[in-house]
Amino acid sequence: MQFGLFSVGDVTMDPTTGRTPSEGERISAMTQIALKAEEVGLDVFATGEHHNPPFVPSAPTTHLAFIAAQTQHLKLSTATTLITTTDPVRIAEDYSFLQHLSGGRIDLMMGRGNTGPVYPWFGKDIRQGIPLAIENYHLLRRLWREKNVTWKGQFRTPLQGFTTSPFPLDDTPPFVWHGSIRSTEIAEQAAFYGDGFFHNNIFWNMEHTAQMVDLYRRRFEHYGHGSADQAIVGLGGQAFMAGTEAEAKRRFRPYFDNAPVYGHGPSLEDFTAQTPLTVGTPEMVIERTLSFADSVGDYQRQLFLMDHAGLPLEMVLEQVEMLGAEVVPVLRAEFERRRPEHVPSEPPTHASLVAQGPDGPHRRVVSSPVAIAREEEKAEREQAKAGAR
Amino acid sequence: MSRSLLVISAGLSEPSSTRLLADQLADATRAAVGGRGESAQVETIELRELAVEMAQTLVSGNRPTPGMVDARKKIAAADGIIAVTPVFTASYSGLFKTFVDLLDPDSLTGKPVLLAATAGSPRHSLVLEHAMRPLFAYLRAVVVPTAVFAATEDFGGDIGLERRVHRAAGELATLVVAERTGVAGFAPTGEEDVEPLGPVTDFSELLRGHDGG
């Protein structure tokens, strides 16, 4: 199982000091948090992509390349890449380049982005959100798998014999996750291609998360990628820890009570009872996180949101250290212990995808055996019809 | 087969005349269902008890609190609904509207609903027709023809209110016990198992026209 951090990159005032970091300070803080993640033995750092204040991360490939240059093992990901408003040709080349720079240490998480005003800034229409996500991702798959792509879709100018350069490292495209909270179409998309499905459950009750993951798992099996419990699932989570529960609550409460995303609504106690947020001892975080697998099945990636609610950098670094030293080692052992033999322990990595070889399913644009069979049947029918004429 | 009736009461005081009217409607409907040879279980949601949770749900990105999750489940399971609100500023109360705002927009589709309201003065009685009925029409609920309005004076005087209560209850009971007609396979029954997440569209369908072919 992979453990890591995901950052939204919000610039939020520290309510205990009234001070808001500058954009530069926040970017530098995110970098230091990522470096700390590698230092304490976490597997993944993922950054959001936003183009509107109060968020800073608008250029994830630039940032991830900077982090890649200073790390050895850390896997780098987005959370999420805007597949709707970014030209797939741009994504294909940017992340292919990053993949080469980082020695294959990247994967991507696709998301639609749901802030209406952002779409027109990039020449897109939010009413087409789902079709854009579908068409753009399909084109991206082709760009990463076929040379000389000739393409005509609904949302961009046609391509004539276009080749992505650099082509993916070892001709092996990065592994992709699809992030969705509510859209069943995106769970379906992840299942169709046999990609990963990430449910960012941090503001949701477990029943809802379990329902979405279950849908993805069932459809993953439907498309012939394996059994439902072998589907590749990732979850979010957030925590604040201290030696005792009372101490953790005392320190975190002012941040919770005033954070733009939490504040002035439910109490800290209610919110922790109803969502994955855990404020307490490392043991409590361990217990809580293990319980996720009871609801959604054994899964492969757990990302924690630690730098939120205006927490100052020193406090976040201290939290990441506790996560690496006291929480993740226990979670690794316990998740491994409960995982059935046939369920993958890790999501695919560059090495495991290269090992599949050029004929492996990952190198096909459409990899679902069920969809391939259906296409072949259709082609045969058409051929027969043409022959009869 | 026992039918389930769900009463939604938006009264604010304790005791409340809104709740009083709601209970009368529920009793009369239960009796009317009984008169048709069926039984009915009645459950009541007092919106005042959910007020804080509704506000929390609103300001935390529509993440439903346990009470709201429970209320949504009860709505989904109900065979008939009795919705009663006090009149505030020429319309249903804000508490009542907030609750409706937090429901899935499809959750009342096709559900039999009896509407009722209370107010201090009979001059507000048209609230049922100019505010309540359009709201439920938008939600595609099946609203019974008689809506019941009770002004303070109705509780003291002659028995006009009781007559209206029984007429409305009878109309609701008819819908609640109604059997779907149509031979299986020849007409949609509307009773197919609907997944709470909505139907899944096969991905090939979604991909059509977008695969660059």
Side-chain angles (χ1 to χ4, degrees), chain A residues 236-250:
Chain A
Q238 73 273 56
F240 189 89
M241 295 171 281
T244 65
E245 185 181 350
E247 174 69 0
K249 284 185 167 165
R250 189 187 64 74

Side-chain angles (χ1 to χ4, degrees), chain A residues 131 134-135 138 151-152 154-155 184 188-189 192-193 203 211-212 215 218-219 222-223 265-266 271 274-275 374, chain B residues 56 59-66 69 195-204 206-213:
Chain A
I134 287 165
E135 175 171 316
H138 194 75
W151 161 274
K152 192 168 175 299
Q154 294 180 16
F155 295 117
T184 53
E188 173 76 4
Q189 180 180 35
F192 178 78
Y193 295 106
F203 298 124
Q211 227 184 4
M212 286 291 289
L215 170 68
R218 280 188 288 118
R219 299 300 287 178
H222 167 84
Y223 285 115
F271 200 87
Q274 293 157 22
T275 74
R374 205 184 293 155
Chain B
Q56 289 176 343
V59 297
S60 55
N62 251 338
R63 181 189 55 80
T65 57
V69 170
E195 286 189 64
L197 284 174
V200 179
T201 308
D202 191 90
F203 196 75
S204 332
L206 294 171
L207 192 58
R208 184 165 300 155
H210 294 290
D211 57 359

